[in-house]
Amino acid sequence: MNTIAVKAFITAAEENSFSLAAEKLHLTQPGISKRIQSLEDQLKCRLFDRIGRRIYLTEAGEVFLPHAYRLLQEARSGLTALQNLSLTVEGQLSIATTQHIGLHHLARPIRRFIEKHQKVEFALDFIHSKHAYQDVLQGKLELAIITEPSQLDDKLSFITLWPERLNFVCSKEHALAKSNAVTLASLSQFSGILPGRSTYTRQLIDDLFDHAGVDLTVSVPTNYLEAIKMLVSAGVGWSVLPENLIDESLCILDLPNALIERRIGCLIHTERTLSNSAHVFLEMLKEPH
């Protein structure tokens, strides 16, 4: 099966548009249409309904899509396995991470990797953890550096790299900063500025409050830790932040028996053969930093 046609099908399905898929793949729209038509001819079924200028996956298209992802992943793994025989570190390495992890954990290893392996075309994308999770699962990325997912698909593996302790914080002018004995119950009297419920960090916080039988009041939910820090510094509410984000504008709240720690690590697909570049980069990440 023509993997170029399969990639055109996947891209069109993701973009819900032949024209956007053509733009993303640097092709003309007739070129995309021709590739998908050849795939439909080979499969002897229609994959898209074309209604006006919009396209919609048919039932056959919906059924074929997950198989298409696996076909591309198997093709990439086969090519990578052959390239790895040369033991050279070159080609393209595409990874993804969150903004916080990229800014506070990856600058040094990326710099060292690029300096040492200049033949590698290094591509880094800053995206939400759940999107990085899906991209690794679908074979779009070799690896992603994210916080540990609360649930892990059987086809994925999470390699822990660094623990990251989280601290309860508020602004120095906040009423909580003047309290001699802060508890979860006293925190519940004020708004918390926390990540969304879909994040692993938020689940850790929710579990802590649920176990203590204390209600949690949340306002202005956002998944950007730098934005949370800004809002807390402005006195909007309290939050839970990694130690490397805390500065003189914040007050650390000492809560007994309220330790929260998350793990940052590398997410890989167990059925995908990692390139030599990915292996080398992963080993660099494991080194002390």
Side-chain angles (χ1 to χ4, degrees), residues 97-98 101 127-134 144-147 267:
T97 190
T98 65
I101 295 174
I127 57 179
H128 191 280
S129 289
K130 65 179 181 181
H131 296 148
Y133 180 100
Q134 287 300 321
I145 315 301
I146 59 175
T147 54
L267 188 70

Side-chain angles (χ1 to χ4, degrees), residues 97-193:
T97 190
T98 65
Q99 185 180 49
H100 169 73
I101 295 174
L103 294 176
H104 297 278
H105 291 279
L106 297 185
R108 185 177 299 175
I110 287 176
R111 182 171 60 251
R112 287 173 40 237
F113 179 84
I114 292 175
E115 289 175 350
K116 190 171 182 179
H117 304 286
Q118 298 182 11
K119 291 185 178 180
V120 176
E121 184 182 346
F122 190 91
L124 174 65
D125 197 10
F126 289 99
I127 57 179
H128 191 280
S129 289
K130 65 179 181 181
H131 296 148
Y133 180 100
Q134 287 300 321
D135 284 352
V136 173
L137 183 60
Q138 293 172 353
K140 297 178 185 179
L141 293 170
E142 278 203 84
L143 51 86
I145 315 301
I146 59 175
T147 54
E148 183 179 23
S150 55
Q151 294 182 327
L152 198 62
D153 189 281
D154 292 340
K155 295 182 176 65
L156 299 178
S157 176
F158 184 80
I159 303 168
T160 300
L161 296 172
W162 318 291
E164 188 171 60
R165 179 170 178 176
L166 304 175
N167 292 275
F168 287 90
V169 294
C170 68
S171 72
K172 292 186 175 180
E173 292 75 30
H174 197 282
L176 288 167
K178 302 174 177 61
S179 175
N180 293 325
V182 178
T183 63
L184 294 179
S186 59
L187 283 178
S188 68
Q189 304 304 309
F190 301 91
S191 293
I193 314 299

Side-chain angles (χ1 to χ4, degrees), residues 4 15 25 31 36 55 59 88 91 94 129-131 133-134 139 167 195 209 223 234 259 268 271 288:
I4 297 176
E15 299 294 334
L25 294 177
I36 292 174
I55 61 172
E59 182 179 3
T88 59
S94 298
S129 289
K130 65 179 181 181
H131 296 148
Y133 180 100
Q134 287 300 321
N167 292 275
F209 277 80
N223 294 332
L259 174 64
I268 61 174
E271 297 176 358

Side-chain angles (χ1 to χ4, degrees), residues 57 66 83 107 152 188 276 280:
L57 282 172
Q83 292 173 337
L152 198 62
S188 68
N276 290 335
V280 170

Side-chain angles (χ1 to χ4, degrees), residues 5-253:
V6 173
K7 186 173 183 179
F9 162 70
I10 289 174
T11 307
E14 292 176 341
E15 299 294 334
N16 293 311
S17 166
F18 285 167
S19 59
L20 292 177
E23 183 179 339
K24 190 171 184 178
L25 294 177
H26 307 291
L27 297 170
T28 63
Q29 186 167 332
I32 283 284
S33 298
K34 184 177 180 180
R35 284 166 171 78
I36 292 174
Q37 183 64 59
S38 69
L39 188 60
E40 290 178 326
D41 292 342
Q42 185 176 7
L43 296 173
K44 295 180 173 57
C45 64
R46 182 180 288 273
L47 298 172
F48 292 101
D49 284 326
R50 290 97 165 150
I51 303 175
R53 293 185 177 181
R54 304 195 64 182
I55 61 172
Y56 303 87
L57 282 172
T58 62
E59 182 179 3
E62 294 280 5
V63 170
F64 182 64
L65 184 59
H67 296 281
Y69 280 121
R70 285 197 289 273
L71 280 168
L72 273 193
Q73 179 160 295
E74 285 297 323
R76 291 191 188 106
S77 289
L79 181 60
T80 299
L82 293 176
Q83 292 173 337
N84 285 353
L85 293 176
S86 67
L87 301 180
T88 59
V89 181
E90 57 186 21
Q92 185 178 56
L93 175 59
S94 298
I95 71 171
T97 190
T98 65
Q99 185 180 49
H100 169 73
I101 295 174
L103 294 176
H104 297 278
H105 291 279
L106 297 185
R108 185 177 299 175
I110 287 176
R111 182 171 60 251
R112 287 173 40 237
F113 179 84
I114 292 175
E115 289 175 350
K116 190 171 182 179
H117 304 286
Q118 298 182 11
K119 291 185 178 180
V120 176
E121 184 182 346
F122 190 91
L124 174 65
D125 197 10
F126 289 99
I127 57 179
H128 191 280
S129 289
K130 65 179 181 181
H131 296 148
Y133 180 100
Q134 287 300 321
D135 284 352
V136 173
L137 183 60
Q138 293 172 353
K140 297 178 185 179
L141 293 170
E142 278 203 84
L143 51 86
I145 315 301
I146 59 175
T147 54
E148 183 179 23
S150 55
Q151 294 182 327
L152 198 62
D153 189 281
D154 292 340
K155 295 182 176 65
L156 299 178
S157 176
F158 184 80
I159 303 168
T160 300
L161 296 172
W162 318 291
E164 188 171 60
R165 179 170 178 176
L166 304 175
N167 292 275
F168 287 90
V169 294
C170 68
S171 72
K172 292 186 175 180
E173 292 75 30
H174 197 282
L176 288 167
K178 302 174 177 61
S179 175
N180 293 325
V182 178
T183 63
L184 294 179
S186 59
L187 283 178
S188 68
Q189 304 304 309
F190 301 91
S191 293
I193 314 299
L194 302 173
R197 289 185 178 276
S198 63
T199 64
Y200 178 59
T201 301
R202 175 64 182 276
Q203 291 172 23
L204 290 174
I205 299 168
D206 286 349
D207 289 346
L208 185 64
F209 277 80
D210 289 344
H211 183 73
V214 176
D215 292 332
L216 182 59
T217 303
V218 180
S219 65
V220 201
T222 174
N223 294 332
Y224 295 101
L225 296 184
E226 282 73 13
I228 290 177
K229 175 186 174 182
M230 182 274 292
L231 292 170
V232 173
S233 299
V236 177
W238 60 269
S239 189
V240 179
L241 291 173
E243 291 181 325
N244 54 24
L245 269 186
I246 299 173
D247 57 23
E248 65 279 357
S249 68
L250 299 175
C251 173
I252 296 177
L253 301 172

